[in-house]
């Protein structure tokens, strides 16, 4: 599903964000990416969704060489991956329903299909009773669930989340991970960047740790042990 | 499909209303620039017409050497016709030349009838020059043909005048081009603001995979729309203003020697040109802006 081969990323200002990263993530996996601030986690995410291009090495997602993707090809590629960020990035003038439908409208899905799929998504994120609410009327956790709903609206094979629980209290964070687990069970591969070691220890998954752009540990059984 | 286009139109109008002040100043600047373009286009059109009239009137008289025998005239004529820039050659024998000479003196010319018997004039070719060629250059080339005596083209003043008109025309093109580029820059800056206003929305669209052209469309519509609104006053000016000017001068310049382009179709052609250029400016300006943005944040 995701394959990185000796990937380096040097930003224009000379920062070495990723150094010789090689890893494979299989279809259906749920993977945490952890590491101190500035260790390159977000850079890794940006390489996956085509926002950034590797300085050296190969980034392959779903058999597509993302680093070599032409500008005009990026949109089509993105339809197969969902992305969620720490800030919710919802459209305040649109309702929950409209925010999710938006993701399908802008890729020209037929209206009937949109209606049906948004219903399904609302079920998955458990917000059917908030369909007509506006983002400002929702709690942080609910807003993040809408963002996740929007990210999975087009049934992506891969869902990448950059600190999705960064702004949430432990209870809401748990709900988010449990939601991601449910999405994972339906076959979507999940990569989640997080700082929250409680989550990593509670919901055990494969955990990749970055430090100064290097992979310093990659543990299948997961859980966080200090000073690895 | 229609639903989609409708959506884009709606967004384009929303864009304009969301930053109305900006849109108004953009349209005003656009109006001013297109007014200049309109004025220059009207000028260029008329200058072109006048140049052509002048060029049509120019005939070059080439005297034939007296040693050339009568039956060689045709060959010689053929050779002059070969010279590049020559449109047509007409032969005029001694008698006709005398007629022309006498005519040139009006009433008093009759006096010269006495030369009819022993005609001192040379036979000549009357040469018309192709439009766009330099008269003096073509004349010089003709003069190099054997058997010709002298080349005389109705004075250099006309040619100099044509040169001046040509410079006006070329200068006009340059200024129109410069104004167009400036207007493109203006539109692209206005659209840039709309883009930043909708930053978040575009970000989401990109994230979920909306195509570049889908994202571009409402902005391009807005750009074209701004261009077209800016063209309204210039179009009206070029139709009614030109009509007024034409009527005031009775369609002529320098007491009837040169005529202006008639209002119909000329003013309408200029208007169509203005609309076209407004669309192009709106399209290119907004296109550049959106593409820059899309490339900047891949
Ligand atoms: N666009 C950029 N231009 C230049 N340098 C950048 C850019 N983005 C990130 N960096 C630098 O690259 C390094 C890695 O950044 P990255 O955002 O990947 O870290 P991170 O692990 O996500 O950190 P955090 O936990 O704070 O989100 C940092 O030193 C950062 O300053
Ligand atoms: Mg980060």
């Amino acid at each position: 599903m995701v394959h990185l081969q000796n990937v380096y990323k040097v930003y224009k200002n000379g920062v070495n964000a990723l150094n010789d990263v090689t890893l494979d993530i299989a279809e259906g996996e749920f993977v945490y990416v952890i590491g101190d601030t500035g260790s390159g986690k977000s850079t890794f995410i940006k390489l996956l969704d085509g926002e950034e291009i590797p300085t050296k090495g190969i980034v392959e997602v779903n058999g597509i060489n993302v680093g070599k993707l032409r500008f005009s090809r990026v949109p089509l590629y993105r339809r197969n991956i969902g992305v969620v960020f720490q800030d919710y990035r919802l459209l305040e003038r649109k309702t929950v329903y409209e925010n999710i439908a938006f993701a399908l409208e802008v890729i020209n899905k037929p209206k009937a299909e949109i209606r049906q799929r948004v219903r399904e998504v609302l079920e998955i994120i458990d917000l059917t009773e908030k369909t007509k609410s506006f983002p400002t009327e929702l709690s942080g956790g609910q807003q993040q669930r809408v963002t996740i709903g929007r990210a999975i609206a087009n049934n992506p094979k891969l869902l990448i989340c950059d600190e999705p629980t960064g702004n949430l209290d432990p209870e809401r964070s748990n709900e988010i991970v449990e939601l991601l687990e449910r999405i994972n069970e339906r076959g979507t591969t999940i990569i989640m960047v997080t700082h929250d070691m409680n989550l990593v220890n509670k919901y055990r998954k494969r955990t990749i740790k970055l430090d100064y752009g290097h992979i310093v540990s990659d543990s299948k059984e997961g859980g966080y042990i200090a000073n690895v | 499909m229609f639903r989609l286009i409708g959506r884009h139109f709606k967004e384009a109008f929303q864009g304009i209303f969301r930053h109305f002040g900006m849109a108004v100043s953009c349209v005003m600047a656009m109006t001013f620039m297109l007014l200049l373009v309109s004025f220059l286009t009207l000028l260029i059109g008329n200058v072109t017409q006048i140049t052509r009239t002048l060029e049509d009137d120019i005939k070059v008289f080439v005297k034939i050497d007296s040693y050339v025998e009568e039956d060689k005239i045709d060959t010689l004529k053929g050779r002059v016709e070969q010279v590049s820039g020559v449109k047509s050659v007409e032969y005029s024998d001694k008698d006709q030349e005398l007629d022309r000479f006498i005519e040139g003196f009006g009433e008093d010319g009759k006096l010269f009838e006495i030369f009819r018997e022993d005609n001192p004039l040379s036979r000549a070719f009357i040469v018309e020059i192709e439009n766009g060629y330099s008269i003096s250059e073509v004349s010089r080339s003709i003069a190099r043909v054997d058997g010709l005596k002298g080349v005389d083209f109705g004075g250099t003043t006309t040619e100099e005048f044509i040169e001046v008109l040509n410079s006006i025309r070329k200068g006009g093109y340059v200024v129109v081009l410069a104004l167009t580029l400036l207007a493109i820059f203006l539109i692209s800056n206005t659209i840039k603001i709309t883009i930043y206003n909708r930053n978040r929305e575009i970000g989401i669209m990109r994230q979920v995979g909306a195509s570049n052209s889908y994202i571009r469309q409402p902005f391009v519509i807005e750009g074209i729309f701004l261009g077209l609104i800016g063209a309204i006053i210039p179009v009206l000016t070029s139709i009614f203003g030109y009509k007024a000017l034409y009527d005031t001068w009775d369609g002529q310049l320098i007491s009837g020697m040169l005529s202006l382009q008639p209002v119909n179709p000329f003013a309408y052609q200029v208007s169509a040109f203005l609309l076209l250029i407004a669309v192009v400016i709106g399209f290119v300006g907004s296109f550049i802006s959106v593409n820059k943005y899309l490339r900047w944040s891949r």
Side-chain angles (χ1 to χ4, degrees):
Chain A
M1 186 79 208
V2 174
H3 170 68
L4 270 71
Q5 186 74 54
N6 306 106
V7 172
Y8 291 78
K9 176 65 190 180
V10 184
Y11 283 109
K12 278 200 203 79
N13 58 3
V15 172
N16 246 311
L18 287 180
N19 278 308
D20 198 15
V21 171
T22 299
L23 68 83
D24 277 278
I25 294 170
E27 195 166 345
E29 273 194 90
F30 190 139
V31 180
Y32 293 123
V33 178
I34 61 170
D36 292 340
T37 175
S39 57
K41 305 182 297 294
S42 296
T43 303
F44 170 58
I45 299 285
K46 285 176 186 161
L47 289 176
L48 293 183
D49 78 354
E51 251 179 279
E52 295 287 352
I53 299 169
T55 312
K56 230 168 82 186
I58 300 168
V59 177
E60 233 176 56
V61 176
N62 229 346
I64 295 166
N65 188 338
V66 187
K68 290 275 183 300
L69 219 50
R70 278 177 38 213
F71 172 67
S72 56
R73 288 269 157 213
V74 175
L76 218 54
Y77 164 71
R78 291 224 174 110
R79 291 179 192 189
N80 291 314
I81 55 169
V83 189
V84 173
F85 295 99
Q86 177 171 357
D87 52 334
Y88 319 121
R89 301 190 190 179
L90 294 170
L91 296 171
E92 265 137 40
R93 255 174 289 220
K94 290 186 190 292
T95 62
V96 167
Y97 181 96
E98 288 163 347
N99 263 289
I100 297 169
F102 183 74
L104 297 169
E105 277 164 11
V106 300
I107 56 172
N108 297 334
K109 288 282 181 204
K111 223 172 186 165
E113 195 184 320
I114 294 177
R115 220 173 299 140
Q116 197 202 330
R117 179 61 188 158
V118 176
R119 295 267 160 239
E120 281 170 26
V121 169
L122 284 167
E123 292 276 335
I124 298 171
I125 63 172
D126 196 18
L127 276 178
T128 33
E129 76 283 8
K130 296 283 183 193
T131 306
K132 292 203 173 71
S133 303
F134 287 91
T136 44
E137 299 161 3
L138 301 179
S139 73
Q142 289 169 330
Q143 288 187 50
Q144 191 59 298
R145 265 144 66 193
V146 178
T147 316
I148 292 171
R150 183 178 63 198
I152 61 165
N154 195 35
N155 264 320
K157 290 209 170 72
L158 173 67
L159 178 63
I160 43 189
C161 310
D162 196 347
E163 297 185 37
T165 63
N167 292 338
L168 302 176
D169 60 49
E171 194 47 45
R172 306 302 134 215
S173 299
N174 288 343
E175 280 175 25
I176 293 293
V177 178
E178 280 162 23
L179 169 59
L180 292 177
E181 280 184 324
R182 286 205 299 281
I183 294 166
N184 181 236
E185 274 158 25
R186 291 163 173 253
T188 306
T189 309
I190 297 193
I191 298 173
M192 172 171 158
V193 170
T194 186
H195 271 139
D196 190 336
M197 292 314 131
N198 293 329
L199 287 180
V200 175
N201 285 324
K202 184 167 180 202
Y203 304 90
R204 298 250 169 160
K205 317 275 178 200
R206 175 180 171 192
T207 304
I208 296 169
K209 186 176 185 202
L210 288 175
D211 196 16
Y212 292 103
H214 294 278
I215 295 182
V216 290
S217 76
D218 182 349
S219 120
K220 280 273 179 230
E221 42 304 336
Y224 176 75
I225 311 123
N227 305 318
V228 170
Chain B
M1 189 64 200
F2 284 114
R3 179 169 63 92
L4 261 182
I5 291 176
R7 231 178 85 88
H8 288 313
F9 266 101
K10 205 177 109 206
E11 266 154 30
F13 287 117
Q14 279 172 352
I16 288 172
F17 286 115
R18 221 168 281 165
H19 47 271
F20 196 68
M22 182 72 196
V24 168
S25 47
C26 170
V27 165
M28 268 162 53
M30 194 71 195
T31 301
F32 176 70
M33 281 188 263
L34 286 177
L35 268 176
L36 284 178
V37 170
S38 143
F39 169 75
L40 287 168
T41 317
L42 291 167
L43 182 73
I44 290 170
N46 277 296
V47 163
T48 309
Q49 154 122 337
I50 290 166
T51 311
R52 221 169 269 151
T53 318
L54 289 175
E55 281 178 342
D56 279 347
D57 280 353
I58 288 179
K59 293 208 171 78
V60 176
F61 295 94
V62 190
K63 288 189 190 132
I64 301 168
D65 261 328
S66 49
Y67 69 77
V68 177
E69 283 155 32
E70 216 51 51
D71 57 346
K72 292 286 194 312
I73 293 283
D74 269 352
T75 333
L76 192 58
K77 184 173 176 235
R79 246 182 262 145
V80 175
E81 277 166 348
Q82 302 269 282
V83 174
S84 86
V86 169
K87 190 168 157 197
S88 67
V89 179
E90 195 190 322
Y91 174 61
S92 166
D93 64 20
K94 282 186 177 192
D95 264 353
Q96 287 163 323
E97 281 300 280
L98 187 61
D99 290 344
R100 223 163 53 79
F101 187 75
I102 289 170
E103 248 174 58
F105 281 92
E107 275 306 294
D108 300 333
K110 291 278 188 292
L111 284 171
F112 298 102
E113 277 298 341
I114 50 165
F115 290 120
R116 189 68 72 182
E117 287 306 296
D118 189 13
N119 193 336
L121 295 178
S122 305
R123 297 157 296 174
F125 289 131
I126 302 166
V127 180
E128 263 190 80
I129 309 285
E130 202 98 57
N131 281 347
Y133 279 85
S134 152
I135 298 132
S136 50
E137 256 169 51
V138 178
S139 301
R140 247 175 275 131
S141 309
I142 295 173
R144 280 198 287 274
V145 176
D146 276 339
L148 301 177
K149 254 198 317 209
V151 179
D152 168 23
F153 53 93
T156 49
T157 31
T158 318
E159 206 195 356
E160 274 166 13
F161 187 46
I162 289 177
E163 293 286 298
V164 170
L165 292 180
N166 280 338
S167 329
I168 292 177
R169 198 173 50 192
K170 279 178 201 149
Y173 285 139
V174 171
V175 177
V176 166
L177 188 71
L179 284 169
T180 307
L181 294 179
L182 197 65
I184 287 175
F185 178 73
L186 177 83
I187 291 270
S188 91
N189 261 325
T190 309
I191 296 297
K192 206 192 275 173
I193 299 208
T194 322
I195 292 174
Y196 280 102
N197 281 343
R198 292 184 54 203
N199 201 353
R200 164 170 290 209
E201 216 171 325
I202 298 175
I204 295 166
M205 287 199 253
R206 307 211 77 197
Q207 205 57 259
V208 300
S211 69
N212 293 329
S213 59
Y214 182 95
I215 296 173
R216 205 181 287 129
Q217 259 184 65
F219 298 106
V220 168
I221 292 173
E222 185 181 336
I224 292 176
F225 191 72
L226 288 174
L228 283 176
I229 298 180
I232 293 174
I233 293 176
V235 163
L236 294 178
T237 311
S238 49
I239 293 174
F240 295 106
Y242 186 68
K243 189 169 168 4
L245 194 76
Y246 188 90
D247 291 345
T248 313
W249 288 347
D250 222 5
Q252 289 164 344
L253 281 179
I254 328 177
S255 55
M257 272 176 63
L258 299 168
S259 56
L260 291 173
Q261 294 261 25
V263 177
N264 188 8
F266 181 58
Y268 299 104
Q269 287 166 346
V270 171
S271 304
F273 172 71
L274 286 175
L275 291 176
L276 178 76
I277 205 172
V279 169
V280 169
I281 288 169
F283 179 81
V284 176
S286 49
F287 196 94
I288 289 175
S289 219
V290 182
N291 256 33
K292 226 193 241 163
Y293 179 86
L294 292 183
R295 273 177 202 280
W296 166 70
S297 62
R298 201 173 127 96

